[in-house]
Amino acid sequence: VGDGNGLVESSQNHQANDVNLVDLAGHSYGITSDPLTQFAVVFSAIIHDVDHPGVPNAQLVKEQTRNAQIYKKSVAEQNSVELAWEMLMSAEYSALRACIYQTESDLRRFRQLVVNTVLATDIVDKELQALRKNRWEMAFSKDPSSHTSSVSMIDSNNDEEQEQEHEDRKATIVIEHLIQASDVSHTMQHWQIYREWNERFFMECYRAYKEGRASSGSDPSENWYQGEIGFFDFYVIPLAKKLQSCGVFGVSSDEYLTYAKANREEWVREGEAMVQHYLEKYNNKSQ
């Protein structure tokens, strides 16, 4: 990734994809009326962690792995895209490709959507997060001047084209938040689901620490309890509120926010004991 605009380039496939704004139209910012976009989001959710090494990008960069040297930023995410794309382009999936797109233009748009969507799951990169936050404020701010400034960026005197561009920007941003919600969906579901996947993630991080591959170098169990509270407060719940405000999930958005808040409260009560249980379970398996 050369910058924050969603460019992917590998040493084997030098097909750069400028994922800025894609042509979407219709209800719900064009998403519900565009089958290609819908499938791109589902496809991205399926493949976004392909070949994930179990350690964060910062550790991959620190270790100077081959992929880190190729991609520089959003290392794991870009690697997932390239591996999945290479498989999709193989002869084995020719029939699937024929169902996804029929023109070169649709192929390019599909790849742009996939690249942009998968890279949106890199929530640790502060620069990319700041760009997304700024785009959200420009597109969904209730301040009329914010809307005017965003559409005035388009070099056109046609009000209809400007409005469509603004809707396209909304669609792109909504898709980014959809995949981010999918990436942490366990936090917005029933407590038992959250508990199961929280444990799995802890085990992955703790194993990396024991193997000397924790990017911070510190024992994750020491801050796991407080870290989860912060994760709910500063990421999960604000994300659920954004999904609610943009209305893309309708009444279901209320349910996601309710679950997120309930899981936070339950974690405050049970989290410390759960972390101790995770440690005991890991140590028992290691013996």
Side-chain angles (χ1 to χ4, degrees):
V1 175
D3 54 33
N5 293 325
L7 303 181
V8 165
E9 183 175 350
S10 75
S11 59
Q12 297 174 326
N13 181 1
H14 294 274
Q15 180 182 3
N17 295 269
D18 189 353
V19 184
N20 291 316
L21 298 172
V22 292
D23 296 327
L24 302 170
H27 183 62
S28 295
Y29 321 112
I31 298 172
T32 59
S33 59
D34 186 346
L36 184 67
T37 297
Q38 292 179 43
F39 184 75
V41 174
V42 173
F43 181 79
S44 299
I46 293 171
I47 63 101
H48 80 278
D49 269 340
V50 167
D51 195 43
H52 196 287
V55 295
N57 287 326
Q59 183 63 25
L60 300 177
V61 172
K62 181 179 179 181
E63 294 175 358
Q64 280 295 290
T65 64
R66 178 178 178 276
N67 286 335
Q69 295 178 45
I70 293 172
Y71 301 118
K72 312 300 182 185
K73 296 182 68 175
S74 300
V75 177
E77 292 79 11
Q78 294 205 68
N79 180 56
S80 294
V81 170
E82 287 306 320
L83 289 178
W85 193 261
E86 181 180 357
M87 182 179 295
L88 180 63
M89 292 298 109
S90 67
E92 181 180 0
Y93 293 100
S94 58
L96 175 59
R97 293 198 304 275
C99 292
I100 299 172
Y101 59 86
Q102 285 76 46
T103 67
E104 186 68 25
S105 175
D106 280 347
L107 168 61
R108 287 196 300 270
R109 189 161 71 95
F110 178 68
R111 181 174 170 94
Q112 288 173 343
L113 283 162
V114 170
V115 171
N116 194 63
T117 304
V118 173
L119 263 62
T121 62
D122 183 0
I123 64 173
V124 177
D125 189 301
K126 294 182 179 179
E127 180 182 353
L128 293 179
Q129 279 292 77
L131 288 169
R132 294 183 195 115
K133 181 178 180 180
N134 183 58
R135 290 201 298 270
W136 177 277
E137 292 299 327
M138 290 176 62
F140 289 100
S141 172
K142 295 181 180 179
D143 181 1
S145 64
S146 175
H147 174 82
T148 302
S149 65
S150 66
V151 297
S152 65
M153 293 171 62
I154 312 303
D155 186 17
S156 170
N157 294 321
N158 190 306
D159 291 341
E160 186 176 334
E161 289 183 3
Q162 290 182 345
E163 184 61 31
Q164 184 59 57
E165 187 71 21
H166 186 62
E167 287 300 293
D168 292 346
R169 179 175 292 106
K170 283 185 175 181
T172 301
I173 297 166
V174 167
I175 289 170
E176 290 177 347
H177 286 74
L178 283 175
I179 193 68
Q180 289 177 352
S182 173
D183 199 28
V184 297
S185 61
H186 66 292
T187 63
M188 304 180 195
Q189 297 183 65
H190 191 275
W191 168 253
Q192 295 303 324
I193 295 175
Y194 165 72
R195 180 172 179 170
E196 175 184 352
W197 288 97
N198 180 263
E199 178 180 336
R200 289 180 182 228
F201 186 42
F202 173 87
M203 294 299 184
E204 180 180 281
C205 294
Y206 195 71
R207 180 168 58 252
Y209 163 70
K210 297 296 282 187
E211 294 173 353
R213 302 188 70 198
S215 58
S216 64
S218 59
D219 182 345
S221 67
E222 295 177 356
N223 191 49
W224 197 266
Y225 173 71
Q226 289 296 336
E228 281 294 292
I229 296 175
F231 188 52
F232 273 112
D233 289 345
F234 300 109
Y235 184 76
V236 175
I237 292 175
L239 175 59
K241 288 180 177 179
K242 284 183 177 180
L243 293 174
Q244 184 183 51
S245 68
C246 73
V248 71
F249 282 133
V251 295
S252 296
S253 299
D254 296 334
E255 182 177 308
Y256 303 146
L257 180 58
T258 298
Y259 271 128
K261 290 180 176 179
N263 286 336
R264 185 215 185 264
E265 293 177 4
E266 189 73 16
W267 177 261
V268 169
R269 292 191 295 268
E270 305 291 339
E272 289 180 302
M274 287 171 59
V275 173
Q276 291 304 310
H277 173 71
Y278 297 165
L279 283 171
E280 291 173 4
K281 192 171 181 178
Y282 180 91
N283 291 329
N284 289 336
K285 285 185 176 180
S286 301
Q287 292 178 356

